[in-house]
Amino acid sequence: MSDIKIKSAFISVFNKEGLDVIILKLASQGVRIVSTGGTYNFICELGVEATKVEDITTYPSILGGRVKTLHPGIFGGILARRDVPEDLNQVEQYNIPLFDLVIVDLYPFEETVASGGTDQAIIEKIDIGGVSLIRAGAKNFKDVLIISSRSQYEKLLEMLENNNGVTTLNERLFFAGEAFNLTSNYDTAIFNWFNRDSHSVCFKHSLTTAEHLRYGENPHQQGVFFGDLGVIFDQLHGKEISYNNLLDIDSALGLIDEFDDITVAILKHNNACGVASRATVREAWDAALACDPVSAYGGVAVLNRPVDEEAATEMDKIFLEVVIAPGYTGNALEILKHKKNRIILLRKKVVQTHETFRSMLGGVLWQERDNANEAEADMKPVTDVVPTKEQFDDMVFANRIVKHSRSNAIVLAKDGQLCASGIGQTSRIDALKQAIEKAGAFGFNLDGAVMASDAYFPFADSVETAFNAGITAVVQPGGSVRDKDSIDFCNNNKIAMVFTGVRHFKH
């Protein structure tokens, strides 16, 4: 039988919000209700008659509420197949009531973890009976409608009002799928809490929040973001965020988080085309834009300080697709809103996750996030010339940028400003030549500038080319079998060079 009239319901929920309307509608349609503890009291307070679960199981709630519903008298009424005579004979034999509707939610496990609950509080929020009831109702969707979240109450109410409590097979199948989606996500969250020290090597992630994008990387590709962007930022203005916007935003946040001083970065296609640290936001913007005003057009601007009116006025003079900042003071927001489609984001204080992963060859490639951040103390001089304090500052600055640039990557910097970068090249020397050429195109004098490399130099040609361009200090990981060749060239030409021992490949 495809269509089933709801005549009896089992209801047991942790959160009672919105349940009253459902209860009253069920009562008006003559539905018999069986319930537990607090839910039973809630129903009675509405003036609706209900049966206590204990009256069916003949057992009270025991073990501090850990065991209430785990009994054949309840599960038999949910799992009994109406088209199997043996099942119907058994429920009649044991006087088990049949249920056409099950409304159950789960203890707030993830919310308890997120709130910083104690281990014992978290463990007590691992639902046992609720999960079992939901799975039972979903398994027997041919005969039972399972409602597993209060977010489904509106749909249930429509079904009760429009169909007089009659459910179709397709409706029950839909809600069964939603139920298993919920329980699988719940179990994944529990496992990941138990596995927070990663003693079990496996990949389990479950995201039930999804945002459909206009398209993927290109218009002919579909795209969806799984996750909650509202945790990271609030969108204050502009068009719908695209797949490529999200890639740039992720890269922008990763880069700007490297800096404590007032800093502005401009990115295009996940790479920095302008970065500068200055005494004011306006000065930082001017210096960042000067790095490459051509690439900045249509780019993403990210700041680690609130945007003020003065900076906003200058930023509004070019087309920026996205602006990200922790705040907007005075009239800054209204100024930036002059461009109708410009995406303006208010960033929230969120710590990046400690892991990254991507799909690969039909599987998933996982790694720890590159959280290494080399300070001056981590840079070991390997040449006769020791860097000055100013050179060390610029090398720390440049090294933070090259860490977030596509390999092979070279960054040239001077006085807290990106002069140019060479990115995504198949050889390191080509990356350097690209950076030097770009710096010249935008009028940068590289005399006294520093060079940062994301990996070691396999030959001395890179330091020689850098020297000829005016570079006086170099930071690199070291580790090549030919490190001595580069060190010798630097010593012979009075260049300072330091090793960090940390490679920053990014692919």
Side-chain angles (χ1 to χ4, degrees):
M1 184 170 59
S2 176
D3 293 351
I4 294 178
K5 176 82 164 78
I6 297 174
K7 298 177 181 178
S8 60
F10 178 88
I11 305 175
S12 179
V13 298
F14 181 85
N15 190 321
K16 315 296 189 297
E17 182 181 346
L19 183 63
D20 52 345
V21 179
I22 301 296
I23 296 297
L24 293 173
K25 176 57 66 174
L26 291 172
S28 71
Q29 295 182 350
V31 176
R32 300 186 306 275
I33 299 174
V34 174
S35 191
T36 62
T39 306
Y40 172 82
N41 294 334
F42 177 85
I43 294 170
C44 291
E45 288 171 3
L46 294 173
V48 174
E49 184 178 345
T51 300
K52 287 184 179 181
V53 70
E54 292 93 330
D55 293 339
I56 296 172
T57 65
T58 69
Y59 277 89
S61 173
I62 62 173
L63 307 182
R66 283 188 165 196
V67 179
K68 294 190 290 283
T69 60
L70 296 169
H71 191 279
I74 301 301
F75 280 86
I78 298 172
L79 288 167
R81 294 160 291 186
R82 274 54 160 186
D83 59 350
V84 177
E86 291 84 353
D87 285 9
L88 297 180
N89 289 337
Q90 286 187 327
V91 296
E92 183 179 357
Q93 177 183 355
Y94 295 108
N95 197 28
I96 297 173
L98 294 174
F99 298 110
D100 310 304
L101 170 67
V102 174
I103 303 177
V104 175
D105 66 3
L106 299 176
Y107 291 157
F109 176 83
E110 290 180 275
E111 293 84 347
T112 306
V113 173
S115 68
T118 64
D119 284 2
Q120 188 56 41
I122 291 169
I123 288 170
E124 289 305 319
K125 288 299 183 288
I126 297 176
D127 207 317
I128 303 301
V131 171
S132 301
L133 289 163
I134 290 172
R135 289 174 61 87
K139 178 176 180 177
N140 200 25
F141 69 89
K142 287 185 177 181
D143 303 303
V144 178
L145 174 66
I146 174 64
I147 299 297
S148 54
S149 167
R150 68 177 184 275
S151 65
Q152 299 168 354
Y153 287 177
E154 183 177 351
K155 177 64 176 175
L156 172 60
L157 189 61
E158 289 180 12
M159 295 163 59
L160 293 172
E161 292 179 338
N162 298 337
N163 303 323
N164 194 32
V166 175
T167 66
T168 68
L169 180 61
N170 284 339
E171 288 170 337
R172 297 193 298 277
L173 177 61
F174 170 81
F175 282 104
E178 293 293 292
F180 283 119
N181 181 25
L182 184 144
T183 59
S184 64
N185 178 75
Y186 193 78
D187 284 339
T188 297
I190 294 170
F191 167 79
N192 284 331
W193 182 76
F194 276 98
N195 196 46
R196 55 197 182 277
D197 295 327
S198 300
H199 54 270
S200 295
V201 181
C202 61
F203 183 84
K204 288 184 184 292
H205 283 265
S206 178
L207 298 168
T208 56
T209 303
E211 184 170 334
H212 288 270
L213 306 174
R214 294 198 307 274
Y215 50 80
E217 203 162 5
N218 299 290
H220 64 277
Q221 298 170 267
Q222 294 187 26
V224 178
F225 174 78
F226 293 96
D228 186 359
L229 293 174
V231 173
I232 310 298
F233 54 73
D234 289 326
Q235 182 169 356
L236 306 179
H237 181 73
K239 64 183 180 180
E240 179 184 345
I241 298 174
S242 71
Y243 181 101
N244 291 326
N245 290 152
L246 290 173
L247 293 176
D248 283 333
I249 291 167
D250 182 64
S251 296
L253 295 180
L255 174 60
I256 201 67
D257 283 349
E258 300 284 352
F259 299 94
D260 295 321
D261 295 335
I262 297 173
T263 301
V264 173
I266 307 170
L267 289 87
K268 196 78 169 286
H269 295 296
N270 308 319
N271 291 293
C273 57
V275 185
S277 297
R278 290 292 186 267
T280 69
V281 173
R282 160 69 189 278
E283 291 172 334
W285 165 256
D286 289 344
L289 179 62
C291 300
D292 184 351
V294 175
S295 295
Y297 182 85
V300 173
V302 61
L303 304 87
N304 62 359
R305 296 292 193 282
V307 181
D308 55 34
E309 290 187 35
E310 185 180 8
T313 300
E314 295 304 309
M315 294 170 71
D316 191 51
K317 291 179 179 178
I318 73 164
F319 170 54
L320 291 171
E321 189 162 11
V322 182
V323 177
I324 314 166
Y328 300 87
T329 63
N331 201 38
L333 184 59
E334 294 307 312
I335 293 171
L336 291 172
K337 284 182 177 181
H338 287 165
K339 302 293 191 297
K340 180 178 68 172
N341 291 327
R342 177 180 287 151
I343 297 168
I344 303 176
L345 305 178
L346 177 65
R347 192 196 177 177
K348 299 178 180 179
K349 292 182 179 179
V350 178
V351 178
Q352 292 272 27
T353 60
H354 71 282
E355 60 183 3
T356 66
F357 45 85
R358 62 172 75 175
S359 59
M360 181 74 58
L361 301 172
V364 175
L365 194 62
W366 176 96
Q367 68 172 350
E368 294 179 330
R369 185 178 294 277
D370 183 0
N371 287 324
N373 191 340
E374 297 79 50
E376 178 181 337
D378 303 307
M379 296 180 174
K380 175 187 175 185
V382 293
T383 52
D384 297 335
V385 177
V386 176
T388 65
K389 180 65 171 69
E390 292 74 17
Q391 287 175 324
F392 265 122
D393 289 344
D394 277 340
M395 287 191 293
V396 169
F397 176 86
N399 197 52
R400 289 174 178 173
I401 300 171
V402 82
K403 169 184 169 181
H404 293 272
S405 304
R406 297 291 176 184
S407 302
N408 288 310
I410 293 288
V411 163
L412 307 179
K414 185 179 180 180
D415 299 328
Q417 180 184 29
L418 172 65
C419 298
S421 59
I423 52 178
Q425 299 301 302
T426 52
S427 73
R428 199 151 301 281
I429 187 65
D430 283 347
L432 174 57
K433 289 177 179 178
Q434 181 191 56
I436 293 171
E437 180 181 356
K438 198 164 191 177
F442 292 107
F444 283 97
N445 180 354
L446 294 178
D447 290 341
V450 306
M451 172 173 69
S453 175
D454 64 338
Y456 64 66
F457 297 113
F459 305 101
D461 55 353
S462 290
V463 290
E464 181 178 355
T465 301
F467 169 74
N468 292 333
I471 303 297
T472 57
V474 178
V475 55
Q476 60 142 319
S480 169
V481 294
R482 294 188 178 89
D483 277 346
K484 188 176 184 301
D485 294 348
S486 295
I487 293 171
D488 288 345
F489 183 90
C490 289
N491 284 333
N492 292 335
N493 293 278
K494 296 183 174 17
I495 301 174
M497 184 162 66
V498 300
F499 286 179
T500 65
V502 181
R503 189 182 73 184
H504 288 298
F505 270 165
K506 184 180 181 185
H507 297 103

